[in-house]
Amino acid sequence: MKKLLFIFLGLASFNVYAHSCPGQFDPVSGICRFQGNNGELVQYNMAPPQSSNVQNSSKVVNINVPSKYGAWAVNPKTGIAGGALNQDSRAAAEKEAIKTCEHGGRNAPCVVGAWFRNGCLAVAQGKSSKKLKTFYGNGAQIGQAEPAALRKCQASGSVECKIVVSEACSMPKY
């Protein structure tokens, strides 16, 4: 019953508020329009004044989230590879990938095959003219790198394309 009374009083007050306009009242904008004594169009805002504490514009806040890098290195002669994830720079990621690939010098020399920033990487291989070819796929979101690597392999005309290194990601931490 209290709710019904509250709704009734609210509607009644709105009705009184709107009817204090001698012409046409637009409840959305709160503007009253009518013709004055000399025939000219008069309009005024009947909406209640807004508090000075209320701000009508949005404020943009920039948050600096450091990027994360990853890299993949491989020894072209042996095919042995290694990678690095979640490094603070491209140089650090490449250095760590080479270090991981070389296993303390036992697999030297390794070279960086691919690097990525704020994303994911996967590696696919396929046969072309009896040789294995390597394809790197990357993606900005989890789940995109492996399909990208397979697409590159198949688009090259290679056969027996398959993922040889599952997707790995280096994403910024919020």
Side-chain angles (χ1 to χ4, degrees), residues 18-86:
H19 283 303
S20 63
C21 174
Q24 180 185 9
F25 178 72
D26 181 7
V28 175
S29 65
I31 301 220
C32 174
R33 292 180 185 90
F34 62 94
Q35 278 196 330
N37 292 339
N38 57 3
E40 67 183 26
L41 179 66
V42 176
Q43 69 179 29
Y44 61 92
N45 189 352
M46 294 180 59
Q50 292 187 345
S51 167
S52 61
N53 298 358
V54 178
Q55 292 192 4
N56 292 332
S57 62
S58 299
K59 186 175 182 180
V60 176
V61 177
N62 291 322
I63 300 172
N64 184 20
V65 179
S67 293
K68 291 296 179 182
Y69 296 82
W72 183 254
V74 63
N75 180 318
K77 291 181 183 175
T78 65
I80 296 173
L85 297 172
N86 297 318

Side-chain angles (χ1 to χ4, degrees), residues 99-113:
K99 180 180 168 185
T100 302
C101 174
E102 290 182 347
H103 300 292
R106 294 188 302 268
N107 189 43
C110 288
V111 294
V112 174

Side-chain angles (χ1 to χ4, degrees), residues 118-133:
N118 299 337
C120 304
L121 180 78
V123 182
Q125 281 186 336
K127 290 183 182 177
S128 178
S129 303
K130 297 184 182 180
K131 288 185 177 181
L132 279 179
K133 285 192 162 190

Side-chain angles (χ1 to χ4, degrees), residues 110-172:
C110 288
V111 294
V112 174
W115 69 274
F116 57 100
R117 176 180 148 253
N118 299 337
C120 304
L121 180 78
V123 182
Q125 281 186 336
K127 290 183 182 177
S128 178
S129 303
K130 297 184 182 180
K131 288 185 177 181
L132 279 179
K133 285 192 162 190
T134 303
F135 302 89
Y136 301 99
N138 56 14
Q141 296 176 350
I142 296 170
Q144 295 178 337
E146 288 182 14
L150 286 173
R151 276 193 303 274
K152 286 181 182 178
C153 181
Q154 293 162 350
S156 75
S158 297
V159 295
E160 298 179 28
C161 294
K162 63 182 179 181
I163 297 294
V164 293
V165 177
S166 298
E167 181 177 75
C169 302
S170 290
M171 298 290 196

